[in-house]
């Protein structure tokens, strides 16, 4: 066997050698930005240097051909540099306004949608799903592809009241994160335990400790050490599944998709907020999830028609109130919308503030 | 040429439509590589059965304890043989990108070449924690692929109970809101603690994130154990020309409805020039010949709204620094938690300032390592022990900026109230 090379623990690379030279030279010296048109940002530095950024969407999971195509386009149009955003959009920087339109034209000709800036619906932040996670209830890249096809017009235009950020997660762990609209797998049945495997693959005390409601007990099943679940207590969160795969939580029929709205990371206007449950029970209908797309598009349409400029989804709902959110979107309000987890009383209306 | 493709009627349906299709990308790789032919076969099966077929395991590189996400197929036939043998191993290497995710094309081409040679060709740019995800590699190829990546000057990211790959916003590189050197802060802290990334020995994951201003473009409050967010202490800076331009372009009703009335603390007032007030904490800018917009900076909570709506006209102040929040995390196990303030303001300019931040980060990791239960995140630990115990452990003084409001219940022992008052007075005197 060949000699193994000890790693060079070089850590995070210095971004300077990779950065577009205009950004590097004006690092920390920017004073103005504007949005000339959807997908394009304009920035000016204090010494008058100007830079135009063209932002476009990708599939995030990039094959070699696409990576090299991006490189060819960046060499041709953008001085051989690019950067990626936290939502997997790509940004090409150009130093003359005249370079913007030819770049957009060429990006579009290769099928890259230019947009995702300002008050548009940006790319969905998402997870791994069937492609690479070991516990997914659904796919991630496929949901995103299907939804972004439907929301394409909203990505390439800036017609929303404020920016809209979406996320999807293929289990309740929610690696996709908080969002204006979050699409999250919701299990509805307790795990089915494959007792034959527990003894071999699971560290039972670890699994027992993971459960947020202490529903799991060690048990002897058919004379072998296994686990049992108090199904009345179980909240179907799936936390036991990662440490113990025999706790089969994924259920092709009963695992459903839920929609949450009003999450916001930024501190702008209101403090950051978590998204809230508005719909559930949607089928995991691969490969295009039409029922999920319909609910998301409906919420977006109502928000677009009703919110004031600069109101994020959550700001809008703060103004109109939850009853009217449910009224306007036509989504049913059920007992499951009322929280009963720890600290839930702070989510109840302790006032006579009621809109009629 | 790779082997024959499997039929993928479900996935084929994800090739139409205007958004770029990952399926088309996978198929392009499958034309060259057997591993991708079989990956498509397994993925199609998942689409049909609505089940995932990966399990983890232990695969790593020499010298490190983490950073590779091992994936072995569980889709086996009746003889326990993989149904899709060429994708039976499909591991991911998590690689840390340059801070801010800037690239030159030579680097990206090299990644593509390495992954052509050793992997499936599929690169995820980027994971939600910020990693370059080199996806789809056999166990045998992990080490040689890693050695070539490492030789490029790139290092492995985090996985498991370890320090995780970090993210910073575009910030100083191209944003006028930036209040500190985000990339420098990220590199200072991550590189000083890199051992905790490569050799997982913490109770659970630990994430740092760095945003240049309260717009928090990398979601640090909700997605990191320690969030470093740029802010400022003095008055918002103004630029009259830009303010007049905004007014010309948008008009008085937009100024009132979009800017002034949406200030969360009603810190902004529109006045006739003649009625303008004066004071050290007031930012004043004329928007036309008759009106001035005035901001009472003591009331401003640095929410960024008015700066966002009137770019260039209003800019962060000059006395810049950062706010530190601790304890953000996602759902498991107690429910999602947000980071909460532990340092309302600290300067982050000089080398000593960065060293101070670095020290505090180290102390927080150490406290976490010593006090968190297994599989407990920082936010959960603080929920369990209370913020005050955490602050005392780190020798950080209490501050009213840490709370939304003071305690609203009397269930507390306050034996040494007098001593605490004494301490508060000392702090006041020292300030
Ligand atoms: C069991 C298998 C799991 C897999 C395969 C998985 C997969 C992933 C992946 C691929 C990412 C992106 C990583 C990157 O950027 O490099 C991610 C991020 C994330 N994961 Fe997981 N995850 C798992 C378990 C968990 C658990 C148990 C939690 C929480 C309790 C969790 C919470 C998160 C969060 C919050 C993020 C986003 C973090 C950020 O934005 O910094 N994941 N996960
Ligand atoms: S959300 Fe759940 S299923 Fe999806 S990648 Fe994260 S841990 Fe895996
Ligand atoms: S699904 Fe969640 S609540 Fe149910 S047994 Fe597993 S860990 Fe406990
Ligand atoms: S967080 Fe602030 S400084 Fe950083 S990119 Fe966003 S707006 Fe700019
Ligand atoms: S930044 Fe300050 S003045 Fe401006 S809207 Fe926010 S709180 Fe008001």
């Amino acid at each position: 066997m060949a000699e193994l090379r000890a790693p060079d623990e070089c850590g995070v690379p210095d971004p300077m050698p990779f950065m577009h030279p205009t950004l590097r030279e004006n690092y920390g010296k920017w004073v103005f930005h504007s949005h000339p048109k959807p997908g394009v940002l304009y920035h000016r530095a204090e010494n008058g240097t100007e830079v135009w950024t063209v932002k476009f969407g990708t599939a995030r999971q990039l094959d070699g051909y696409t990576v090299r195509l991006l490189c060819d386009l960046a060499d041709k149009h953008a001085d051989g540099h690019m950067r990626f955003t936290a939502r997997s959009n790509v940004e090409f920087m150009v130093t003359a306004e005249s370079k913007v339109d030819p770049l957009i034209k060429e990006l579009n000709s290769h099928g890259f949608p230019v947009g995702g800036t300002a008050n548009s619906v940006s790319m969905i932040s998402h997870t791994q799903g069937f492609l690479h996670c070991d516990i997914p209830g659904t796919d991630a890249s496929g949901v995103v592809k299907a939804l972004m096809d439907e929301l394409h017009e909203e990505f390439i235009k800036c017609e929303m009241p404020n920016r809209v950020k979406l996320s999807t997660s293929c289990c309740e762990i929610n690696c996709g994160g908080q969002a204006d609209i979050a699409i999250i797998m919701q299990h509805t049945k307790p795990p089915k335990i494959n007792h034959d495997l527990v003894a071999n693959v699971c560290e039972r005390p670890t699994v027992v400790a993971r459960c947020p409601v202490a529903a799991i007990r060690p048990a002897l099943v058919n004379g072998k050490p296994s686990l049992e679940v108090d199904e009345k207590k179980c909240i179907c969160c799936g936390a036991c599944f990662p440490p113990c795969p025999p706790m089969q939580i994924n259920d092709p029929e009963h695992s459903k998709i839920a929609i949450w709205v009003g999450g916001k990371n930024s501190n702008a206007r209101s403090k950051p907020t978590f998204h809230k449950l508005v719909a559930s029970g949607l089928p995991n209908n691969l490969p295009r999830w039409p029922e999920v797309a319909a609910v998301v598009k409906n919420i977006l349409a109502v928000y677009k028609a009703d919110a004031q400029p600069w109101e994020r989804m959550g700001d809008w709902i703060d103004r109109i109130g939850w009853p009217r959110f449910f009224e306007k979107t036509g989504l049913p309000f059920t007992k499951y919308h009322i929280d009963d987890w720890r600290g839930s009383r702070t989510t109840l209306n302790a006032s006579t503030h009621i809109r009629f | 040429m790779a082997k024959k493709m499997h039929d993928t009627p479900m996935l084929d349906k994800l090739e139409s439509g205007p958004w770029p299709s990952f399926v088309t990308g996978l198929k392009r790789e499958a034309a060259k590589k057997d591993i991708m032919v079989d990956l498509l076969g397994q993925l199609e099966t998942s689409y049909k059965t609505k089940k995932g077929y990966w399990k983890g395991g232990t695969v790593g590189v020499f010298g490190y304890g983490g950073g590779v996400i091992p994936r072995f197929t569980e889709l086996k036939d009746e003889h326990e043989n993989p149904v899709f043998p060429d994708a039976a191993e499909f591991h991911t290497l998590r690689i840390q990108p340059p801070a801010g995710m800037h690239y030159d094309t030579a680097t990206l081409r090299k990644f593509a070449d390495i992954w052509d040679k050793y992997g499936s060709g599929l690169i995820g740019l980027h994971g939600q924690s910020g990693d370059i995800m080199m996806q789809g590699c056999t166990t045998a190829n992990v080490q040689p692929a890693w050695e070539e990546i490492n030789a490029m000057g790139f290092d492995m990211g985090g996985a498991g109970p370890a320090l995780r790959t970090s993210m910073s916003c575009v910030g100083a590189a191209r944003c006028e809101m930036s209040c500190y050197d985000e990339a420098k802060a990220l590199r200072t802290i991550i590189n000083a603690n890199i051992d905790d990334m490569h050799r997982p020995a913490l109770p659970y994951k630990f994430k740092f994130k760095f945003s240049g201003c309260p717009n928090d473009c990398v979601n640090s409050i909700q997605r990191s154990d320690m969030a470093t967010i740029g802010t400022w202490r003095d008055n918002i800076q103004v630029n009259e020309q830009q303010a007049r331009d905004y007014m010309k372009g948008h008009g008085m009703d937009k100024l009132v409805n979009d800017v002034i009335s949406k200030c969360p603390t009603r810190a902004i007032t529109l006045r006739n020039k003649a009625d303008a007030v004066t004071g050290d904490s007031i930012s004043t800018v004329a928007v036309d010949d008759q009106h001035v917009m005035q901001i009472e900076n003591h009331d401003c909570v640095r929410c960024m709204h008015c700066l966002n709506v009137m770019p260039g006209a209003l800019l962060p102040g000059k006395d810049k620094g950062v706010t530190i929040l601790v304890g953000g995390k996602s759902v498991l196990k107690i429910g999602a938690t947000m980071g909460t303030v532990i340092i309302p303001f600290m300067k982050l300019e000089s080398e000593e300032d960065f060293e101070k931040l670095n020290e505090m980060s180290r102390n927080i990791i150490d406290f976490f390592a010593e006090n968190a239960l297994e599989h407990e995140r920082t936010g959960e630990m603080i929920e369990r022990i209370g913020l005050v115990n955490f602050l005392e452990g780190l020798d950080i003084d209490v501050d009213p900026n840490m709370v939304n409001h003071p305690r609203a219940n009397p269930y507390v022992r306050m034996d040494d109230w007098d001593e605490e008052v004494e301490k508060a007075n000392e702090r006041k005197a020292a300030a």
Side-chain angles (χ1 to χ4, degrees):
Chain A
M1 189 161 171
E3 188 87 359
L4 292 173
R5 182 179 155 285
D8 171 8
E9 261 175 275
C10 48
V12 187
D14 181 357
M16 290 302 168
F18 301 98
M19 201 180 286
H20 188 283
T22 307
L23 303 194
R24 194 190 322 136
E25 284 151 23
N26 296 283
Y27 196 79
K29 302 202 177 100
W30 301 96
V31 292
F32 177 70
H33 83 271
S34 65
H35 300 106
K37 58 178 163 184
V40 182
L41 303 169
Y42 165 83
H43 285 89
R44 194 168 62 228
E46 62 191 12
N47 64 4
T49 304
E50 300 177 303
V51 74
W52 287 261
T53 300
V54 175
K55 183 187 273 199
F56 57 96
T58 69
R60 185 171 82 130
Q61 304 289 7
L62 305 180
D63 62 306
Y65 168 84
T66 305
V67 172
R68 293 186 183 98
L69 173 62
L70 290 176
C71 291
D72 292 344
L73 296 175
D75 282 342
K76 180 167 167 201
H77 293 271
D79 311 306
H81 292 270
M82 72 186 89
R83 74 171 291 270
F84 287 76
T85 70
R87 312 187 85 77
S88 305
N89 295 312
V90 180
E91 296 182 335
F92 280 9
M93 276 62 69
V94 299
T95 48
E97 192 171 10
S98 61
K99 294 182 180 170
V100 170
D101 285 339
L103 170 56
I104 293 180
K105 215 170 130 208
E106 184 148 13
L107 286 168
N108 285 336
S109 79
H110 289 288
F112 293 114
V114 172
T117 54
N119 47 334
S120 63
V121 176
S122 190
M123 167 65 160
I124 304 173
S125 95
H126 62 287
T127 53
Q128 291 292 72
F130 289 148
L131 188 68
H132 211 254
C133 189
D134 54 356
I135 59 171
T138 188
D139 196 28
S141 310
V143 186
V144 170
K145 161 68 177 152
L147 272 163
M148 288 312 289
D149 277 344
E150 300 272 342
L151 302 175
H152 175 252
E153 286 293 299
E154 301 296 354
F155 179 86
I156 62 169
K157 292 176 181 164
C158 294
E159 294 180 345
M160 285 289 158
N162 198 345
R163 61 207 67 222
V164 180
K165 310 219 174 185
L166 274 63
S167 75
T168 89
S169 296
C170 25
C171 83
E172 287 166 49
I173 285 173
N174 188 210
C175 297
Q178 298 290 325
D180 292 287
I181 305 180
I183 300 145
I184 307 176
M185 174 58 54
Q186 181 92 24
H187 303 301
T188 65
K189 298 278 182 237
K192 290 192 200 98
I193 307 175
N194 185 340
H195 294 288
D196 292 338
L197 294 180
V198 172
N200 299 333
V201 302
C202 300
E203 218 181 299
R204 292 185 305 151
T206 308
V207 191
V208 170
R210 282 303 156 86
C211 179
V213 291
I216 310 175
R217 283 187 298 258
L220 274 184
V221 179
N222 303 328
K224 277 200 279 183
S226 187
L227 300 162
E228 66 182 13
V229 169
D230 181 341
E231 300 205 347
K232 281 213 193 68
K233 269 192 181 171
C234 173
I235 50 173
C236 310
C237 69
C240 49
F241 184 47
C244 180
M247 305 281 284
Q248 294 291 324
I249 187 75
N250 288 318
D251 181 324
E253 188 191 342
H254 292 109
S255 288
K256 301 288 186 183
I257 291 173
I259 312 271
W260 306 64
V261 309
K264 174 164 86 63
N265 296 287
S266 151
N267 292 270
R269 299 168 306 285
S270 51
K271 292 182 179 182
T273 52
F274 287 138
H275 50 229
K276 281 93 182 168
L277 176 76
V278 294
S280 192
L282 301 166
N284 182 17
N285 193 355
L286 297 84
R288 283 208 164 258
W289 298 270
E291 297 81 2
V292 173
V295 174
V296 170
K297 283 173 79 176
N298 172 44
I299 294 170
L300 279 172
V302 177
Y303 163 68
K304 185 174 177 179
D306 201 56
Q308 294 174 359
W310 293 97
E311 278 179 342
R312 287 281 290 269
M313 184 78 64
D315 299 325
W316 164 61
I317 298 168
D318 272 351
R319 176 168 58 80
I320 68 167
W322 285 104
R324 274 208 296 154
F325 171 87
F326 284 100
E327 205 177 292
K328 281 172 188 277
T329 55
L331 294 168
F333 183 82
T334 71
K335 72 175 183 183
Y336 293 114
H337 290 97
I338 300 178
D339 194 355
D340 54 5
W341 186 244
R342 266 174 247 169
S344 62
R345 289 212 70 203
T346 58
T347 70
L348 306 180
N349 184 6
S351 75
T352 59
H353 287 203
I354 293 174
R355 296 170 179 82
F356 295 102
Chain B
M1 268 304 283
K3 64 185 196 182
K4 193 174 160 293
M5 297 265 224
H6 307 286
D7 283 339
T8 53
M10 297 278 266
L11 292 172
D12 295 350
K13 294 206 177 95
L14 289 169
E15 288 200 272
S16 56
W19 194 260
S21 170
F22 72 104
V23 175
T24 306
L26 299 187
K27 284 189 178 175
R28 271 193 297 252
E29 291 298 347
K32 300 183 286 180
K33 299 187 185 82
D34 290 347
I35 188 173
M36 201 49 109
V37 174
D38 275 6
L39 186 274
L40 278 162
Q42 175 165 322
L43 193 57
E44 176 73 15
T45 311
S46 281
Y47 268 65
K48 274 195 213 121
T49 60
K50 303 189 188 184
K51 282 186 174 162
Y53 294 105
W54 297 118
K55 69 165 191 259
T58 27
V59 177
V61 298
F62 177 66
Y64 286 175
V68 180
I69 312 298
R71 288 294 177 252
F72 297 93
T73 189
E74 282 192 294
L75 192 55
K76 306 266 180 74
D77 62 19
E78 65 273 25
H79 310 294
E80 283 298 301
N81 293 320
V83 178
F84 298 103
D86 286 307
E89 298 171 351
F90 201 81
H91 314 312
T92 288
L93 271 62
R94 288 184 173 171
I95 304 297
Q96 298 180 77
M101 296 170 176
H102 301 271
Y103 295 97
D104 60 10
T105 52
T107 301
L108 286 174
R109 283 205 179 89
K110 238 187 265 174
F111 278 129
D113 291 346
I114 293 173
W115 213 234
D116 245 353
K117 190 164 149 196
Y118 296 108
S120 73
L122 188 70
I123 304 180
L125 291 160
H126 296 79
Q128 286 294 305
S129 306
D131 286 294
I132 303 166
M133 302 188 293
M134 313 285 286
Q135 297 162 127
C137 181
T138 59
T139 310
N141 278 352
V142 165
Q143 181 69 24
W146 155 243
E147 290 187 7
E148 290 200 21
I149 294 166
N150 194 207
M152 287 170 67
F154 282 76
D155 202 355
M156 206 158 254
L163 177 62
R164 297 300 187 93
T165 300
S166 182
M167 275 213 261
S168 59
C169 67
V170 65
R174 203 202 53 211
C175 181
E176 72 270 23
M177 311 298 187
S178 166
C179 293
Y180 71 100
D181 188 340
E182 304 85 2
K184 178 172 172 151
L186 183 156
R187 294 187 65 234
T188 303
I189 291 174
I190 299 302
N191 291 350
N193 295 295
I194 201 80
D195 189 48
D196 273 317
M197 184 174 290
H198 295 147
R199 290 161 199 93
L202 297 175
Y204 196 22
K205 59 175 92 163
F206 193 102
K207 299 187 182 185
F208 288 98
K209 285 198 190 333
F210 302 85
S211 278
C213 82
N215 280 326
D216 196 5
C217 289
V218 295
N219 306 349
S220 64
I221 294 183
Q222 296 179 341
R223 311 197 74 158
S224 68
D225 298 275
M226 175 169 152
T228 303
I229 302 184
T231 188
W232 65 93
R233 288 193 281 209
D234 56 343
N235 295 345
I236 288 178
Q237 300 187 69
V238 302
N239 178 313
E240 181 169 333
Q241 190 52 50
Q242 297 288 352
R244 284 175 180 261
D245 285 354
Y246 173 89
M247 185 69 170
K248 266 194 220 107
H250 295 82
M252 183 60 89
D253 37 357
K254 289 261 174 209
L255 181 75
V256 170
N257 295 329
D258 292 358
V259 185
I260 297 173
S261 66
K262 288 200 167 53
C263 170
T265 54
R266 299 178 299 284
I268 316 176
T269 313
L270 188 70
R271 296 194 173 94
N272 276 317
K273 255 191 179 151
D275 301 330
V277 295
T278 51
D280 288 348
S281 59
I282 309 252
S283 301
T284 302
V285 62
V287 293
D288 57 23
D289 290 342
Q290 198 193 338
H291 297 97
V292 294
M293 196 170 110
Q294 295 201 294
I295 300 171
E296 170 50 83
N297 286 282
H298 286 319
D299 295 339
C300 166
V301 289
R302 280 69 178 161
C303 87
M304 300 306 290
H305 173 72
C306 60
L307 291 84
N308 293 342
V309 184
M310 299 178 72
L314 305 174
L315 287 167
K318 289 184 182 138
D319 186 12
K320 297 180 166 92
V322 294
T323 300
I324 313 278
L325 300 90
V326 167
K329 55 169 280 296
S330 198
V331 179
L332 282 183
K333 150 175 170 180
I334 60 168
T337 61
M338 291 196 206
T340 52
V341 173
I342 62 154
I343 303 287
F345 186 88
M346 67 179 271
K347 292 295 281 184
L348 194 52
E349 279 166 6
S350 67
E351 290 303 321
E352 296 88 84
D353 296 339
F354 279 93
E355 200 31 55
K356 246 173 80 185
L357 184 73
N358 189 21
E359 241 168 66
M360 184 181 2
S361 309
R362 187 63 239 172
N363 292 343
I364 289 173
I365 297 175
D366 284 342
F367 187 91
F368 170 66
E370 276 159 33
N371 293 283
L373 306 176
E374 196 225 315
H375 213 259
E376 189 178 56
R377 289 285 290 273
T378 320
E380 283 155 329
M381 174 190 72
I382 293 175
E383 178 117 343
R384 178 169 55 79
I385 68 175
L387 181 68
V388 169
N389 277 322
F390 178 74
L391 295 172
E392 286 178 350
L394 288 160
D395 207 15
I396 295 173
D397 288 336
V398 297
D399 185 296
N401 284 303
M402 292 171 183
V403 298
N404 280 331
H405 56 73
R407 167 188 298 282
N409 71 67
Y411 294 164
V412 57
R413 290 261 315 246
M414 298 197 270
D415 307 39
D416 49 3
W417 172 266
D418 290 339
E419 281 139 65
E420 290 301 318
V421 169
E422 197 49 46
K423 279 191 210 159
N425 289 337
E426 276 165 23
R427 279 197 297 274
K428 219 178 188 175

